[in-house]
Amino acid sequence: RTSKWFEVLDGGMDYLKSVVIDDKLGICEDLEEQMQLVVDTYQDEWATACKDPAVRARFKTFVNMPHDKQDPPAEAGALVYQYERKQKRLPVTEPANPLPVPQPALEQLPVNEREWATVCPLEAMVPNCGVCALVGGQQIAVFRLPDDRLFALSNFDPFSQAYVLSRGLVGDKDGVLKVSSPLYKQSFGLEDGVCLGDPSVRVPVYPVQLKDGVVQVMPLPEKWDCFRA
């Protein structure tokens, strides 16, 4: 009723009626077939996901942990909520400065935490998406590209102070591979963890590899300097 095309349509409403009702152009049968195809192939995507164990298994916080151990301990980055009108929510105001990530010294890490840790089979990861693994008390976001390249960053978003980067959108900006936080939309380089909008902020980057079809990460990051200069 407010479309501009109708205002400039030759013949106005009379012509439109002749096409839709009288089938002046002979296209109604094709349109009906296309509509019937939509009806016949419709599916409730959420219902389909719930009925498929393989798809349903993706809906958990940590891809490498069983379903009964999906709540992170406080030291591993449980979500921080604010309360408003007796309801809890994630923060909506960006803090003045990002919260630093804890920085344990190398000698404080147990030897077994310096080894490669299993995340999940490669086939369990959807291309251009991320998963989160809980390894050595650290939340690590692992991303798979369509060409099966893998990248691993801290799951911690220093701007929102929440562990959410594994849920971000993967893409590129001017040729730089990145993930955008699902909260305040800051983008971080997949290769170096640097915030594209503020290069003084960096999230930790972890070594990641594919071995015998299984994704593995090293829980000791290559860079710990998550800060604002």
Side-chain angles (χ1 to χ4, degrees), residues 57-226:
R58 297 174 184 164
F59 289 85
K60 58 182 183 179
T61 304
F62 304 116
V63 68
N64 64 327
M65 302 293 284
H67 284 279
D68 60 348
K69 295 184 179 180
Q70 289 299 308
D71 293 328
E75 64 271 15
L79 290 178
V80 178
Y81 292 96
Q82 292 180 352
Y83 286 84
E84 182 176 350
R85 295 190 296 275
K86 298 182 179 181
Q87 298 181 10
K88 68 178 183 179
R89 60 170 175 78
L90 287 171
V92 296
T93 303
E94 182 177 324
N97 292 291
L99 182 69
V101 172
Q103 303 184 18
L106 174 60
E107 59 272 13
Q108 294 176 335
L109 292 175
V111 174
N112 62 349
E113 291 185 11
R114 304 180 199 176
E115 300 174 351
W116 289 103
T118 296
V119 175
C120 65
L122 180 66
E123 61 185 20
M125 298 183 63
V126 178
N128 270 341
C129 292
V131 297
C132 181
L134 184 62
V135 182
Q138 303 173 59
Q139 290 196 32
I140 301 176
V142 185
F143 303 93
R144 175 189 178 186
L145 269 56
D147 59 6
D148 290 342
R149 278 184 293 168
L150 299 167
F151 299 90
L153 307 175
S154 169
N155 195 38
F156 182 76
D157 173 8
F159 292 93
S160 64
Q161 302 183 22
Y163 288 76
V164 293
L165 290 186
S166 63
R167 306 293 184 181
L169 295 177
V170 176
D172 74 90
K173 181 178 182 181
D174 299 328
V176 177
L177 297 172
K178 68 180 183 70
V179 58
S180 297
S181 171
L183 292 183
Y184 300 136
K185 313 307 179 187
Q186 279 86 3
S187 294
F188 300 89
L190 291 179
E191 295 184 287
D192 56 14
V194 173
C195 177
L196 274 61
D198 186 348
S200 68
V201 178
R202 181 199 303 270
V203 297
V205 177
Y206 294 81
V208 59
Q209 70 176 11
L210 181 65
K211 185 176 181 180
D212 299 327
V214 176
V215 179
Q216 298 179 329
V217 296
M218 181 77 71
L220 179 64
E222 297 171 337
K223 302 179 180 66
W224 269 109
D225 52 340
C226 177

Side-chain angles (χ1 to χ4, degrees), residues 38-49:
V38 172
V39 173
D40 293 341
T41 57
Y42 170 78
Q43 65 170 333
D44 183 331
E45 295 181 352
W46 280 110
T48 300

